[in-house]
Amino acid sequence: MEQGFVDTLISPEGKLEVLSKAEVVKLLDTGKGGLYKTFRQCALAVLNCGSTIDDGKELLDRYQSFDINIMQRERGIKLEIKGAPAIAFVDGKMIKGIHEHLFAVLRDIVFVSNEVTDNPKFDLSRTEGITDAVFHILRNANVLRPQTNPNLVVCWGGHSINRAEYNYSKEVGYQLGLRALDICTGCGPGAMKGPMKGATIGHAKQRFTNGRYLGITEPGIIAAESPNPIVNDLVIMPDIEKRLEAFVRTGHGIIVFPGGAGTAEEILYILGILLHPDNAEIPFPLIFTGPESSREYFAQINEFIGLTLGEEAQKRYKIIVDDPESVAREMLEGIKQVREFRKSRSDAYYFNWALRIDEEFQRPFSPTHENMRNLKLHKNQPVHVLAANLRRAFSGVVAGNVKADGIRAIEEHGHFEIHGDVAIMEPMDRLLASFVAHSRMKLPGKAYVPCYRVVM
C-alpha cells in the first residue's frame, strides 16, 4: 500500500441503503451519459477534507488511481473504495462525518439524475420549474424543517482567509450559537468552517443538542472546497446557480465574511435579487463583517457596489466591523422581522417561496472564453440585471481559479477577457487586484497566476 492512500469497504448509515440495478449501472457508467465522473469527483473531494489543495484539477491529477465502486448485496449496497486520501481516516477507520457525507453525495447525485434532470415534471427552462427542482432536492435531503421557527443563518466568505479573519468568523459563529441560531455555509474551509466551529461551542454551552450545520455545495466547486466534517447535513446541488438559490430560499439571513471572487459572486447574487422591485418589501437581513484588519476590505466592497449598482444596493446591507456580539444581535433581530413578515402572510418558515428570483439568476452560466467575452457589463440595463451579469463575471474567475474544467480551459486558450464600460471595469479591476494582493484567490503559500484580463 502506498503511504497516504487507503483502501476500504463501507456500508451506508441511513442516508441511502438501497439502489436499483439501473441506478447502479448509471452511476458506474464512465461514458458521456453516465454519472461516474461526477460521483467519483465529489466522493474524492469529500475524502480529501482537511487538505491544503484548492485546485480541482490538481486534486484529480494527484489521485488518478482513486476508484470507487458500488457493490450490490442482498441487504443493500456497500462502497468499495481504492486509493482514498489517508487524511479521511483515523487509525484506519473513516471519520464518521466523512462517511455520512459520502452517502449524501450518492443520494443527491442519484436523485438529481433520476428525479430532476431526466424528469419531464420539472421544466428547467422556466423560473417556477427551477425553484420547484431546488425545493425537491432539499426536501429529498431532509433539510427542510416545517415545525421550526426561523433560525438558519447563511454564512458566506472565502476559503482562503488569514488567521485573524478565520478566528473572527469562529467568534461570530459562537455568538450565533449562544442565541440558538443554526449555521448554513458552503461547507468548505476558511469562512465556511469557522462559523460552524464557533457555533458548536455556543450550542454546547446552551445545551442546545439539535444544532444544525447545513452545507450546500455543487460538483464544480466541491474539489476546491471539500466539506468539513462538522457539517451534519450535506446537500450537493446540480450547479452553482441552484446552490445559490438554495442558500437564499432556506436561509433566514446572510452574514458575509471577507473572501475573494466567489464571495463577490455571492454578494452580487443576493443584491441582484433584493434589488428586484418585487422584493422591495421582503425583509432579508444581510450583514458584512470582519475583524478590524478587514475594514479596508469592506470599504472596497462597499465602494465597488456603489460605483456599479448604486446607493439603493448599499442600503440593502449593514457593515459591522470587529463586533461579533453586535452581528449576532442584529441578525437575531432581523430574523424576528422575517418571522413576523412570513407569519402575517402565512408563508412557510422553511422555504422562502415569496422571493422573486428571475431567470437571469437561475440559468446555468458556462464560463467559456466566448461567454466571458460577451457579458453585458454596462449601465444601460436594469440594475438587478447588471448584478446578474457581474455575478457571471466573478463566477468565471472562480472557475478559472479552482474548478478543474475552468483551469483546463485557461491552459488551452489563455486568459478570460472581461469587457465592459470603463465605469464598471475600472472598479472591477481594482477589486480583483486587491483580492490578488491579499492572497484571496488561492490558499496561502501558492503563487496566484491570474486567469482573467480586464479589457477597457
Side-chain angles (χ1 to χ4, degrees), residues 359-404:
E359 185 256 353
E360 289 288 334
F361 293 92
Q362 293 178 315
R363 186 174 66 249
F365 174 68
S366 177
T368 64
H369 282 72
E370 182 181 4
N371 287 343
M372 289 291 284
R373 198 178 299 114
N374 293 330
L375 285 173
K376 296 175 182 177
L377 302 176
H378 56 76
K379 293 200 174 184
N380 188 26
Q381 58 188 322
V383 68
H384 66 279
V385 178
L386 172 58
N389 285 318
L390 281 168
R391 182 207 69 88
R392 293 182 181 115
F394 282 97
S395 190
V397 173
V398 173
N401 283 349
V402 299
K403 295 186 179 183

Side-chain angles (χ1 to χ4, degrees), residues 290-300 319 321-322:
E292 181 60 40
S293 57
S294 302
R295 187 179 292 275
E296 183 187 349
Y297 169 85
F298 286 111
Q300 288 177 313
I319 298 175
V321 176
D322 207 28

Side-chain angles (χ1 to χ4, degrees), residues 23 30 45 48 126 146 155 175 202 231 293 330 335 346 350 366 371 378 386 401 405:
E23 287 170 336
T30 58
N48 193 51
R126 295 173 60 251
C155 295
Q175 293 295 335
V231 171
S293 57
E330 188 76 33
I335 288 178
S346 297
Y350 54 85
S366 177
N371 287 343
H378 56 76
L386 172 58
N401 283 349
D405 291 345

Side-chain angles (χ1 to χ4, degrees), residues 64-363:
Q64 288 181 21
S65 62
F66 172 74
D67 191 34
I68 184 164
N69 190 39
I70 300 166
M71 303 179 70
Q72 284 276 35
R73 297 287 174 86
E74 290 280 332
R75 291 173 293 178
I77 60 169
K78 285 183 179 287
L79 291 183
E80 181 185 35
I81 301 170
K82 294 181 179 178
I87 198 169
F89 299 81
V90 175
D91 298 334
K93 190 171 183 180
M94 188 178 292
I95 294 169
K96 189 165 184 178
I98 294 175
H99 186 150
E100 290 178 357
H101 290 171
L102 269 180
F103 285 94
V105 166
L106 186 57
R107 175 203 66 211
D108 291 338
I109 288 174
V110 168
F111 180 79
V112 168
S113 174
N114 289 352
E115 304 297 330
V116 178
T117 311
D118 298 337
N119 188 345
K121 184 178 82 172
F122 294 105
D123 184 354
L124 298 181
S125 65
R126 295 173 60 251
T127 292
E128 295 82 3
I130 293 170
T131 297
D132 207 28
V134 169
F135 172 82
H136 278 81
I137 294 167
L138 293 169
R139 187 177 70 175
N140 182 67
N142 198 31
V143 298
L144 301 179
R145 308 286 168 85
Q147 305 303 320
T148 306
N149 275 323
N151 76 330
L152 187 62
V153 181
V154 173
C155 295
W156 284 342
H159 75 291
S160 178
I161 57 174
N162 60 44
R163 176 53 62 175
E165 290 169 346
Y166 174 75
N167 287 340
Y168 181 83
S169 75
K170 199 160 61 172
E171 180 62 29
V172 171
Y174 171 67
Q175 293 295 335
L176 295 171
L178 287 175
R179 292 161 176 82
L181 294 170
D182 287 334
I183 308 293
C184 172
T185 77
C187 78
M192 291 167 275
K193 180 181 177 183
M196 288 186 170
K197 205 166 184 181
T200 60
I201 305 301
H203 289 161
K205 285 188 175 182
Q206 295 284 28
R207 302 299 186 263
F208 184 56
T209 56
N210 298 315
R212 295 181 65 205
Y213 314 106
L214 173 60
I216 303 176
T217 185
E218 54 97 12
I221 199 70
I222 193 172
E225 298 175 356
S226 296
N228 70 78
I230 297 170
V231 171
N232 57 14
D233 277 318
L234 175 66
V235 188
I236 318 289
M237 302 302 291
D239 50 58
I240 187 67
E241 287 77 13
K242 292 178 186 64
R243 179 197 191 199
L244 289 167
E245 181 164 354
F247 279 129
V248 302
R249 295 281 187 196
T250 56
H252 302 110
I254 295 176
I255 294 173
V256 181
F257 296 99
T263 304
E265 175 183 5
E266 291 165 338
I267 289 171
L268 289 162
Y269 179 86
I270 186 59
L271 288 179
I273 289 168
L274 296 179
L275 287 169
H276 193 288
D278 289 0
N279 297 326
E281 304 303 318
I282 296 178
F284 200 106
L286 177 60
I287 300 170
F288 298 173
T289 191
E292 181 60 40
S293 57
S294 302
R295 187 179 292 275
E296 183 187 349
Y297 169 85
F298 286 111
Q300 288 177 313
I301 290 285
N302 188 54
E303 180 189 44
F304 172 76
I305 292 167
L307 291 172
T308 55
L309 302 181
E311 288 184 16
E312 278 305 308
Q314 291 175 316
K315 291 176 184 176
R316 294 307 307 237
Y317 56 85
K318 291 185 178 180
I319 298 175
I320 300 175
V321 176
D322 207 28
D323 194 343
E325 286 190 42
S326 289
V327 172
R329 284 196 295 265
E330 188 76 33
M331 181 54 63
L332 189 64
E333 187 56 40
I335 288 178
K336 285 179 183 176
Q337 293 174 22
V338 169
R339 182 182 184 276
E340 291 307 311
F341 178 81
R342 297 201 196 173
K343 187 178 179 182
S344 69
R345 295 163 49 105
S346 297
D347 286 346
Y349 291 159
Y350 54 85
F351 193 82
N352 194 346
W353 291 104
L355 206 61
R356 169 75 179 269
I357 300 182
D358 270 359
E359 185 256 353
E360 289 288 334
F361 293 92
Q362 293 178 315
R363 186 174 66 249

Side-chain angles (χ1 to χ4, degrees), residues 300 303-304 307-308 377 379 390 394 418-434 452 454-456:
Q300 288 177 313
E303 180 189 44
F304 172 76
L307 291 172
T308 55
L377 302 176
K379 293 200 174 184
L390 281 168
F394 282 97
I418 307 173
H419 297 253
D421 289 352
V422 173
I424 293 172
M425 290 297 96
E426 282 187 344
M428 184 176 186
D429 195 32
R430 286 199 299 274
L431 187 64
L432 286 167
S434 74
Y452 65 90
V454 175
V455 181
M456 298 184 225

